[in-house]
Structures are given as structure tokens and as C-alpha cells.
Amino acid sequence: MALVGEWKSITVRRVFSGLLSVVLNKATGLKGKMLGTRDPYAILRMRSVSGVDTWKSSAKSNTRNPTWDEQTTFLVQDLERDVLEIRIFQNDVAQRLFVTDDEIGTSILPLRMLIDKQPWGTQYNVSLGTGQGSAVLTFRLHIFDYPDNPSPPLVTPLEMLEKRFGNEILLPDNIVPPCNIIGFLQVRVIRGQGLPWCGPGQSSPAQYKVVLDIGRQKFATRPYRWLGCPVWEEYTEFIISSAEKDTLSVDVVRQPTAVTGPDSDIPVGFVQLQLSTPNLDSGPTWFNLLQKGSVSNAQRLSHDSSAVTPQIMLDVRLARLAHG
């Protein structure tokens, strides 16, 4: 099968461009709604197309000019569209003054603006609104190695993916990896075989899709109709916090029809992969699709298979964050 060893082009659904390291240095001239400013703290949010990542600083006692020098790191998905939101609050709830904390000021910084206007690694003064003071932050950006284009295109050939990720993603010493993140799991959903070409009582070819998840992270391929041998050729990434504990679940489902109901995906089989499995990233591999109650220790097959039982071919690679 030519598809086993050759990655022509694959569809990228979710991919990360790099890491943004942020040092919250200090704030000056903060103006609260009450007389004085009590225990200011900061909340930073990275807003991307796939969601929001949030970090909260410590609170500094009874000052309008707090110094934090605290650091965090965010994953960057799209350098053109991701924005960093900076909000400063008074810690009123802890002081039992109000049921909510009053906001002192806010600022929204598109990453594109940061790249254009300020060298990386220098302090950046951010206004929090007219008369509300300012915050000082230091930014460092590490873009994952991606030839000729820092923002991944929609279709990516194999050779570019191999250059972008090896077994490690090397970070400079001044970039601190995000808390509880050890790397990324790259999954290529290639094709299936041995699947029923139509559902019970149907005469037209069935449509199949693959749903992958690790914890709360989830990805689904597009449905594919192909007489029991769907070819998906789609790619995604998952954030990994523990190779010893995280498990990749792969479910193959048949799309609903007017007979089964509009919201009833029909399970065909599943694969569960412990990320600590030896030789996990050995290239494109066939896996038996298991049924509920099956024993999962014999699901892995080989690089070639002629069995007619329902199977799926996956290519799984674990790329760890490391300093180089």
C-alpha cells in the first residue's frame, strides 16, 4: 500500500506555533474605585481560536505600585490572531469588602502588534486605560521550527512536519515550559479497513469518522464515505502532561442516518493507547478496533496487515519539550 510509507499531504486541524513567555514585572499608578488600592493582582489570558488559557498572579499588599516579577508561559496557536489580555484587580473579596473584586484596568495586546513594535526580551509598558495606571511586562517568544512560515498552513507535507518536530522540541534556556506540560502528541489518522460498507438495512455506503481524545482535549476527523475502506489522512496534536498517565482514546463511529436518528453516532470500535507504551512512535501501524469488554493488550498489529477484521492505521509521535 503506497499510503503506508508516504505522507503526501495531510489536513492540519489544530497545531501550535510556539510558546510565549511572559514576565509580569510591575505596575505603577494604579487607581482603584475606592480610596487607596488594596492588594492588587493580575490575570493574564491568552485568547486563541481554540479557547482561552488563564494565569493569575499573587496579590501585593496595600500598594498602588506593586512589583511581582512573576513568570508564566502560554501556548501560541496563531501569531496573526492570538491576543494577550491583561487585567488588574483589587483583592476586595479576600479583604471581605465586596462579593466581587473591582477591576482597576485592562489592556488587550495582539501578538502581531508585539512582534511588530517591540523587540523580544525587553520590557514593554502597557497602559491599563486612561488614568488607571500602567503595567510593565517582558515578553519572549519561541517559535517552533517551521521552514519559511511561522504560522502553519492548512495543508502540510511530511517533510515539513519532520523538520518541525523530531523527538524533542528544543527550547532556549530563557523559555520556561508551561506548568504541567511535557510536550505534544502528534497523531496522524491514516485509513481504515474491514469496516462494514453500509449499516444494517441500508444500501448506500456508510460514512465513518474518527474521534480522538486525551482527557478534555478532543478532535474529530471529517466523515468519509468509501465502501468500508475510508482514507482520512488527517493530523492533530494534543498537549501532554504525563506520558505515564495520559491515554489516547480513538473511537471509530458510523455517521447517523434518517433511520438511526440525527444525533446517534454508531460505535464501530475503539483503540486505547497508553503513552508509556514502548515503541509507540514506530511509524504507521495497524490497530484492531476493539469492542466494549475486549482485552486491549493484543490490539497492536504491524506495519502491514491483510486481516479483514475492522482496523485503523495510525501514526503516533510524542515530541517532548526540552532545553537545548
Side-chain angles (χ1 to χ4, degrees), residues 217-231:
Q217 303 175 75
K218 193 171 185 178
F219 169 83
T221 67
R222 295 181 177 90
Y224 196 97
R225 177 179 294 171
W226 182 255
L227 299 179
C229 297
V231 179

Side-chain angles (χ1 to χ4, degrees), residues 34-45:
M34 295 181 61
L35 182 63
T37 298
R38 294 175 174 83
D39 301 353
Y41 66 89
I43 290 180
L44 306 184
R45 290 190 175 96

